[in-house]
Amino acid sequence: MEIRTAETPIADNAEGDALKKLKRGFDVRLHGEAEKVINNQVQVNTFAVQPPNFAGISPMPKLEVQEGQHVKAGDALFFDKRNPDLIHVAPISGEVIAINRGERRAIQEVVILADRTIQYRTYAAVPNVENSSREALVAFLLESGAWPLIRQRPYNVLADQNAVPRDIFISTFDTAPLAPDLNLIVEGKAAVFQKGLDVLNRLTSGKVYLGIDGRGISVPSTVFTQANGVEKVRFKGKHPAGNVGVQIHHIRPIRSKEKVWTLGVQDVLTLGTLFLEGKYDASRIVALTGAALDKPAYVKTCIGANIGDLLKGHTLDGNARIISGDVLSGKSKLPAQFLDCYDDQITVIPEGDDYELFGWLLPSSARPSTSKTFFSSIFSNIWVYNVNTNTHGEKRAFVMTGQYEDVLPMDIFPQHLLKAIITNDIEKIEGLGIHEVVEEDLALCEFACTSKQPLQKILREGMEMMIKEGL
Amino acid sequence: MKQTLLKFLKRIEPDKEKAPLLHTAYDAFFTFAFAPNTVTKEGVHIRDGMDLKRTMVMVVIAMQLCYLWGTLNIGHQHFAALGKYQQHILEGFHLKLFYGLVQILPIWIVAHVVGLGVEFYFAARKKHAVEEGYLVTGALIPLIMPPDIPLWILAFSIVFAVIIGKEAFGGTGMNVVNIALLARVFVFFAYPGTISGDEVWVSGLTKAAPGGVAEYGWIHLNVLNPLFENFGWSTFQAGQAVVDGYSGATPMALAAKGGWEAVTQHYTPSQMFWGLIPGSIGETSKPFIIIGALMLIAMGIASWRIMVSMVLGMVTMALVFNWWGFNAYMEIPWYYHFSMGSFLFAMAFMATDPVTAASTNRGKWIYGFLIGMIGLIIRVMNPAYPEGWMLSILLLNVFAPLIDHFVLQSNINKRMKHVQ
């Protein structure tokens, strides 16, 4: 724990954009923020595309490559058997060196040993964004393999190419613990970003919305604030104000039978490059964060980079946990594994597998908490914490009420939604708004839960049930 | 030091298969001493420092002033009936304190041993860890009992409440009604003589009215008295008579008979506010209850919405009664209802139980308001029992899910309306 000086608030620089002030939420302030310099020299040797990253892919995808085969960036690796148009492509050129399988021989990773210089697949013709038909754009996105970058809500699945989304939403800031600064990532890429937005504009019958950082602690990049042809809405509030799900809820909530699409900022850049330069550029700037890292920093790499390679040069404590994503909704990884497709952050924190004498009553170290029973809660806005993975208590029945609602700035009753999922009450699940939330939105509720319930897991089960029921 | 203790505790761990009950009890105490070393597996990687143990213990801490006052007041009321040490509560401090302790400790021990015994048994049977809900229940029960409650009745009521009220529904978090109140209401209906009327609220007298005499037990006469004599302090003297004109009636009973006038013949408003009146052990001192309530609100553990709405409900009803003025009880000024009886205690510690209260924020407003209104109706209009919070909270416990249902339904309707 240390004290971080409060950032000086910056004057309002928005020009008439709508501003939504969200009162509820909680910032988990952790030690180990990445230094705002991008390291371009990191040498990553292997990359992988991981079918489990894409929810709803049929039991096993159909492979198009074999071990030993050489692929270019943008070449197809596998496709969904039920939806053969939906191909997944190599983020980088190189040799396919392994196809790792898990339970029931399900494909877990298609691993590529990268070339020294990336060779890109070339396309017969890149459609012109302004003049081509929507169908032509969709067909090109599918063919190029950029389609899986677009995700669909409800349920956070791959976008349905036969559907026209009501709207498309992009959040341009991330409020998750130690999240990367997207302003840094888009610096100097205004044209590429704008191109990506232009493509998206053609895909929806509604609008493309950008959620802009309205918290006033840093100036949002002009790449975002001066983007054309999109609706900009500023959000002011604590985490999860930067979650696209929360922003959708406040801009135009998803009702039953409606579909909206979402993308990450770097996914938009990939689309932009595809149409500007005619190449599938899967490069990503990734923030390496967390108190267990000696030099938290940004690195330039590609989708699916090997984690061990990314963390090379850092002295890693053997008893640390590596997470692809943030500490609330990321996935635990081993150094031999790979960055998940949609992640732009790696967090490394110490494990907390230690007994603490009267730890529940008189904790020996300060820890982030939404509870006011801790002395540190008085300083929760200025203190920065060292965290570990200890559960700080055991799983219990739902006892406390109103906790989840206090940290979720949405007009939703998470506890009742989760209870409805547990009891398979489909009508209620739908009515209570399962269409509007995905795991990352309830992650903070799970963090705050006194009873240590696995909320994200329960929600995912509910979503799978809804998908199965065709709702 | 920590490692030695840890090693020792690990060495004496009973076998889970051979002695499940013993293991459950061991586990409860082990996790009490050491926060477990479990780490997150799926979902979030970091967890809030808050857990149910801490939540429950904070509530118990908030009750401690009520315990302190309750203990002293048992002694104070006893001596008040004898016409001694009446200037203030600290006069005859050692006598009052030890008299109170001798009364309250067995109640506290029985409440915990019996209740936790039942909890441990069910946890072992169901093969899960002991959940902490009983920590609060066990601390609440002594505070809402009369000081002379026979211990076997107390034990019986706790077994009933924990088994029928909680374990039958699936344990902590699943109960429909407040367990501590269920224990009390069991005594109230099954053994009314021990928990109602004018006689039971003052301890240690053959009769809490003129003609009665003080009685002391073996501990008072053979352990405490020699000790006090040693220090040259005053001692317990058996056989002293209750003073003329004394009535052990609570303000509630007096108000039911003759309104505010009857109350003020025996007690001043300030006595009632500070808690120098007979009553259940922990409910008399209003300032200490208010401190406890403020602690719970400041820590964010109990719902301030329920507390505020319960006050509003009670005041609304009291104003209606003041305006109606059908009998003398109804005419009691609304603000005196706070200091009579156990309104504040029920508000701070009973109605706010998160498991049995309404769980939506809007539901909490409705729930608290109705408890306030209905409780006052029972208090003022029920000829047999001049207090209402226990019954009104239990009634609303049962209706809380229905209140939540309507709140959720309105949220669902709002979401569905956009579909069309």
Side-chain angles (χ1 to χ4, degrees), chain B residues 41 89 128 131 138 165 187 229 269 330 369 379 391 395 402:
Chain B
K41 292 214 169 57
I89 193 148
H128 63 64
E131 306 217 354
V187 180
E229 271 168 12
M330 286 189 188
F369 194 82
R379 174 186 270 195
L391 295 173
L395 178 72
L402 188 69

Side-chain angles (χ1 to χ4, degrees), chain A residues 355 358 360-361 369 411 446, chain B residues 32-33 47-48 54 414:
Chain A
Y355 293 98
F358 294 118
W360 56 278
L361 184 63
S369 175
D411 184 18
E446 183 173 316
Chain B
F32 189 83
R47 287 281 193 173
D48 197 307
R54 190 176 175 86
K414 193 167 67 185

Side-chain angles (χ1 to χ4, degrees), chain A residues 5 81 84 110 148 174 212-213 236 340 345 379 422 437 442:
Chain A
T5 46
K81 280 180 207 158
V110 179
D174 195 343
I212 308 262
D213 189 352
K236 185 186 170 79
D340 279 334
Q345 180 183 7
F379 304 104
I422 292 169
V437 286
L442 292 198

Side-chain angles (χ1 to χ4, degrees), chain B residues 215-282:
Chain B
E215 283 183 321
Y216 296 105
W218 182 84
I219 296 180
H220 300 100
L221 301 175
N222 296 320
V223 179
L224 294 174
N225 271 356
L227 193 72
F228 295 161
E229 271 168 12
N230 228 354
F231 289 109
W233 296 345
S234 46
T235 54
F236 297 111
Q237 282 156 23
Q240 293 190 69
V242 171
V243 291
D244 274 354
Y246 181 82
S247 139
T250 60
M252 309 304 318
L254 296 167
K257 283 179 199 136
W260 188 239
E261 212 173 298
V263 178
T264 44
Q265 276 175 1
H266 287 88
Y267 306 107
T268 63
S270 96
Q271 266 180 326
M272 284 159 46
F273 178 72
W274 292 105
L276 295 162
I277 50 172
S280 296
I281 294 172

Side-chain angles (χ1 to χ4, degrees), chain A residues 209-277:
Chain A
Y209 289 96
L210 285 191
I212 308 262
D213 189 352
R215 291 174 297 171
I217 50 175
S218 63
V219 186
S221 166
T222 52
V223 175
F224 302 134
T225 54
Q226 294 180 5
N228 292 320
V230 292
E231 288 284 311
K232 280 159 272 182
V233 183
R234 291 183 307 134
F235 285 88
K236 185 186 170 79
K238 295 181 171 176
H239 184 63
N243 279 17
V244 71
V246 172
Q247 298 177 359
I248 297 171
H249 180 87
H250 287 276
I251 295 170
R252 229 186 125 191
I254 308 168
R255 299 306 182 197
S256 182
K257 311 277 184 286
E258 287 181 340
K259 291 181 170 115
V260 303
W261 290 353
T262 67
L263 287 93
V265 164
Q266 303 208 65
D267 303 331
V268 179
L269 293 177
T270 298
L271 292 192
T273 319
L274 183 66
F275 281 84
L276 272 182
E277 300 175 25

Side-chain angles (χ1 to χ4, degrees), chain B residues 269-314:
Chain B
S270 96
Q271 266 180 326
M272 284 159 46
F273 178 72
W274 292 105
L276 295 162
I277 50 172
S280 296
I281 294 172
E283 48 102 339
T284 58
S285 169
K286 311 308 181 247
F288 285 170
I289 296 169
I290 291 170
I291 290 172
L294 291 177
M295 275 170 74
L296 290 178
I297 291 175
M299 293 188 295
I301 286 178
S303 165
W304 59 270
R305 292 182 177 87
I306 294 177
M307 296 199 204
V308 171
S309 62
M310 194 167 150
V311 168
L312 291 178
M314 190 276 269

